[in-house]
Each structure stands twice: as C-alpha cells, then as structure tokens.
Amino acid sequence: MDHIKRPTLKLKHSSDKAKSKERSLSKDKHGKDAPRSPARPKPVKMDLVMESPPVLLMDNPQQSSGALISGRLQVTPNAPQVELESVKMFLECSTTTKRPVEARCRECMNQVKDLYEWHFFTKPKVFRASEGMQELPFSHLIPGHLPGTTHGYVSSIEYSLHVRARSTSGEETEFRRQLVINRALRPGNDKNSVRVFPPTNLTLHVTLPNVVHPIGEFPVQCRMTGITTKRDDTQTRWRLRKLTWRIEEHETAISPACPKHIAKVGGEGKGVQHENTRDVGMDEMKTGWKTDFSDGTVEGEFMASMNPSAKPQRGVDSANGLKINHNLILELVIAEEWAPNKKPNQATPTGAARVLRTQFALNVTERAGMGIAWDDEQPPMYEDVPASPPHYRTSSGEGLTQIVDYEGEDLHEDVEHLNLNS
Ligand SMILES: [Zn+2]
C-alpha cells in the first residue's frame, strides 16, 4: 500500500467543484431528511423508456465519437392534479472502491459525479390524472472518452440516469435507471510478435488477433525457430514437451479519501494505490504441434479463451486511476537431446531442460458485432500497430522473455508432473 499522488487530471476535478459538480451521495433522499409519510403516496410515479440501443462506444477513448442515447421519461400523477416545480435528470458516474481509505466510510467508498443534467421544464407544470401518463423526451451524446462500465476486483465504475421530481408543495420523487456503457475496439490486422531467448538461438513468433473478447475463443499461432544446432557429425536440439498458456488480468486502482479523511492519505489529491492480479483463463498442452528438426522449427496453433465464470473485465484506463489490462503468458518446457547427423532419429536426451516464459498484451474488448456507432459513415480509423521488435532482457526477469533451467523430474519419462514454477 503505497501512498501516491493521484493523476493531475483527477486532482483538477476534485478541486474544481463548480465545474465538475462532484458531490457525495447526500443528494439522494434516502436519508433522514426524506419525507416520511408512508400513508401518502408520492405525487408522481415515474418510469423510463430507452429508445436508443445499448450504449457502445466504438474505438479507443482518444478516437471515439461517443454514443447517442435517447429515451422518454414517463410521469404519471398519483392525484387528480399534481403541480411539479421541476423535473431534473442527472447522468451520474459512480465510482466505488472495496478498499476505502477509512473502513466503512461511505464517502470514501463511493464518489458520484454528474456528467450531464436535464431540466425538463423551467416553469412549474401541472400533471392531471385525467390526461394520464405524460412523456418527456430526452437525448444526449455520451462522450467517447468515458471509461466503460467496469466491475473490477477492487474498484468499479457505473453509470445511471437519476431523476428527481419536486412538487410545488416540496415533495420529492426519485427514480434511477442503470445505464451500462460498453466499449468496442474494431477488429483489425493480426498482431505479429517476435521473442528471442538469449543465449540460445531460439526465436518465438506469435500471431494474435488485435482484439479479443471475454466470451469465445481466439487463435494463437506459434512458430519457434532455432531449435536445432548442427555440428560436423552431431546435432543437439530442443524438443518442446509442454506448452502452458495463461491469461492474466491486472488491475490497478486508486482509492481516494473523502474530505473528512484526507489527512489519512497525506492531503488532497492523494490516494492509496491497490493492485490485484488474477488468472482468467489457462490450459496446458503436451501435443498438438509439428516438429521439424531438419528445418529447426516447431509450430502449431491453439485456441485460447477466458473462463466466463471468472467474469473477466474489459481493458480500461480511467482518469480516476482505475486501470485493467490483460496479458497472455506462455510457458514452454523444452528438453535437450543429442543425435548423430547420419541417424537423426536416434536421439538421446542430454538431461538438460529449460522453461521459456514470455508474455503478450491482449486488448480485451466488447464485440463490435451488432453495435453501430452513430456516425459510422465515417471511415474506420485503425491505429496501425507495427509488428513488435524483439524484446528481451537477459538478467532482470522483468522483461518480456525469461529462460530458466528446468529442474523437475525426467521430462522424457513423465510429463504429467512437470512443475513449471521450479
Ligand atoms: Zn471518509
């Protein structure tokens, strides 16, 4: 738990209250000051009908053109005649942390920000029971830079439409409807990545889709070269014995402090950073690839997927410090063998084995599928990502590849009990 500064952007929002209209949940009338008259019905009954399709922001936050929402607020008077002073609706963004700075402090746990507000009329308006339900239309362009609805392990981002109707006699009626905001990145060209494992000659080429989805499979194509080293009469080569893949979801979140508990984090604009890493999919394979020692290559393709019961999140990078990203981690167990060049099929294990580890960033996003951006007549904008150059670090282990000695049981006898963490 490091005390760190929140991003500058957030700091600006927090101190500029007039502009951002940041406030606590006290706007809601669930508390003591709510009128308690159970015998008396609320002056109006409200409901909300959305006309626009589910909100889907296309492209990344820097490029997205946003999504139009439209709908009708339905107001039905509960008395022969009800005069409403105002009907306001707020597009609210609510951020919640499961690790509040002060335990059990609601203000530390939850921040609500109004992103937009509608005032349906400026002068008091009379609703008559004889006229029945009345509809108040609304629409808005949801800005494309907003983070999508996210339910992380530590932190959550949710949106809702919150309506407050106030009668001229001072009675309040509230209504709330959750608004799910999704983001989709468009499918584009596959990503080709190359990883090298010095001091060996092994080079791993991996092809992945540029976007993957929380539900469904995606192909991973692998080709490793440099597995055979030939000398005058003999050759040594690496045989792939086992391949394990894992999809890791990494979340970073910053818990802010409410004004009352700001001293606990060392002042305004600071928060406590939390991190959480979990696996949302994995499998292992002991067969399914083609080995060609004369060519020095091994290649194959497998399907990877995330476990829906793990409820994998979409990737997100929010101005409030919530960031979720995903990596595909590959671990290849290779065993060395020796053979005479004249009889390459008569191989003898040398007993040496290694574990190759590497990882690739995954863009986990909603399916673009049925969702169509409101301005989809504009040509799609792809951010062309060139194939990654080889990345490696030989000593720190923090780089993209790692090669370690395998010190488990004899690979040639029993691959069932390989321990990749040895
Ligand atoms: Zn607090």
Side-chain angles (χ1 to χ4, degrees):
M1 267 205 227
D2 298 323
H3 288 219
I4 65 149
K5 262 186 130 103
R6 268 188 290 169
T8 327
L9 184 60
K10 179 65 180 169
L11 179 64
K12 212 167 133 195
H13 277 178
S14 304
S15 54
D16 188 3
K17 290 214 162 78
K19 199 176 168 197
S20 69
K21 296 201 182 72
E22 222 174 311
R23 43 146 186 73
S24 73
L25 272 174
S26 59
K27 187 179 77 176
D28 295 290
K29 295 292 175 189
H30 306 311
K32 291 189 282 275
D33 52 343
R36 291 193 181 231
S37 46
R40 209 169 150 196
K42 294 280 185 189
V44 290
K45 185 171 96 57
M46 291 191 285
D47 202 357
L48 197 147
V49 177
M50 291 302 290
E51 286 170 341
S52 48
V55 183
L56 185 67
L57 303 172
M58 292 299 297
D59 306 314
N60 64 43
Q62 292 76 36
Q63 291 176 313
S64 179
S65 54
L68 272 178
I69 58 163
S70 62
R72 303 183 312 269
L73 178 67
Q74 300 180 325
V75 182
T76 311
N78 278 333
Q81 183 169 314
V82 175
E83 190 178 40
L84 293 183
E85 185 184 274
S86 65
V87 175
K88 293 178 188 174
M89 184 165 78
F90 304 85
L91 170 59
E92 289 181 346
C93 176
S94 170
T95 54
T96 312
T97 178
K98 288 181 194 159
R99 305 262 189 284
V101 169
E102 171 70 33
R104 292 196 211 101
C105 173
R106 271 187 72 183
E107 314 267 303
C108 282
M109 216 175 288
N110 183 267
Q111 283 82 39
V112 181
K113 198 158 111 178
D114 293 335
L115 303 176
Y116 190 74
E117 60 182 81
W118 291 261
H119 293 238
F120 285 101
F121 38 86
T122 48
K123 285 184 289 184
K125 187 176 161 73
V126 174
F127 290 77
R128 290 185 181 84
S130 58
E131 288 163 12
M133 178 255 284
Q134 292 198 37
E135 294 192 316
L136 307 172
F138 64 88
S139 65
H140 182 58
L141 176 64
I142 303 279
H145 70 267
L146 290 181
T149 299
T150 306
H151 296 109
Y153 193 81
V154 179
S155 186
S156 294
I157 299 175
E158 288 176 308
Y159 299 90
S160 60
L161 294 169
H162 177 199
V163 188
R164 294 178 70 197
R166 187 181 170 85
S167 71
T168 42
S169 55
E171 286 170 292
E172 294 254 4
T173 310
E174 289 195 74
F175 178 82
R176 190 186 291 273
R177 172 70 57 83
Q178 199 187 43
L179 187 72
V180 175
I181 297 183
N182 283 316
R183 179 178 300 285
L185 304 176
R186 294 168 207 259
N189 296 332
D190 286 348
K191 288 195 293 187
N192 298 304
S193 305
V194 181
R195 301 283 189 267
V196 295
F197 296 88
T200 69
N201 295 322
L202 297 168
T203 303
L204 180 66
H205 303 257
V206 172
T207 303
L208 286 164
N210 77 320
V211 294
V212 301
H213 310 296
I215 296 167
E217 295 182 315
F218 60 91
V220 181
Q221 290 169 278
C222 298
R223 189 167 66 92
M224 191 155 66
T225 62
I227 62 171
T228 307
T229 303
K230 279 190 184 169
R231 286 174 213 90
D232 289 344
D233 300 320
T234 63
Q235 57 180 266
T236 52
R237 66 237 191 152
W238 292 106
R239 186 183 286 275
L240 177 60
R241 301 307 307 257
K242 176 164 155 169
L243 187 157
T244 305
W245 62 263
R246 194 153 65 77
I247 298 172
E248 205 176 75
E249 183 176 278
H250 184 71
E251 175 179 348
T252 309
I254 298 171
S255 300
C258 76
K260 229 198 294 184
H261 296 115
I262 226 157
K264 292 195 93 173
V265 295
E268 194 181 352
K270 292 184 181 176
V272 181
Q273 178 167 298
H274 298 279
E275 292 194 36
N276 186 63
T277 300
R278 63 185 190 129
D279 289 334
V280 292
M282 67 183 77
D283 201 5
E284 61 174 46
M285 283 163 286
K286 287 159 191 155
T287 56
W289 45 80
K290 276 191 304 190
T291 306
D292 184 343
F293 287 125
S294 62
D295 194 28
T297 62
V298 53
E299 61 185 313
E301 178 179 312
F302 62 89
M303 301 302 286
S305 63
M306 279 164 261
N307 179 1
S309 68
K311 295 199 173 118
Q313 293 298 300
R314 290 66 176 151
V316 72
D317 188 358
S318 165
N320 75 350
L322 174 59
K323 190 172 178 178
I324 295 179
N325 59 356
H326 299 82
N327 284 312
L328 173 71
I329 294 160
L330 297 185
E331 293 187 334
L332 293 82
V333 179
I334 51 172
E336 193 184 48
E337 53 187 43
W338 173 95
N341 285 342
K342 282 179 184 165
K343 292 175 180 172
N345 293 327
Q346 293 186 2
T348 313
T350 68
R354 301 278 187 276
V355 182
L356 309 178
R357 284 198 189 104
T358 184
Q359 63 180 51
F360 306 88
L362 290 178
N363 288 322
V364 179
T365 179
E366 211 58 52
R367 268 172 213 282
M370 305 298 284
I372 295 160
W374 67 282
D375 65 340
D376 224 15
E377 51 269 24
Q378 81 173 31
M381 293 179 286
Y382 295 113
E383 199 174 18
D384 278 321
V385 184
S388 312
H391 288 291
Y392 56 87
R393 274 179 225 163
T394 47
S395 54
S396 72
E398 289 168 4
L400 291 169
T401 65
Q402 194 186 11
I403 178 164
V404 296
D405 285 349
Y406 177 79
E407 289 167 345
E409 294 167 51
D410 186 349
L411 292 172
H412 299 268
E413 296 295 328
D414 178 13
V415 292
E416 291 298 324
H417 299 102
L418 289 183
N419 176 11
L420 293 185
N421 297 317
S422 61

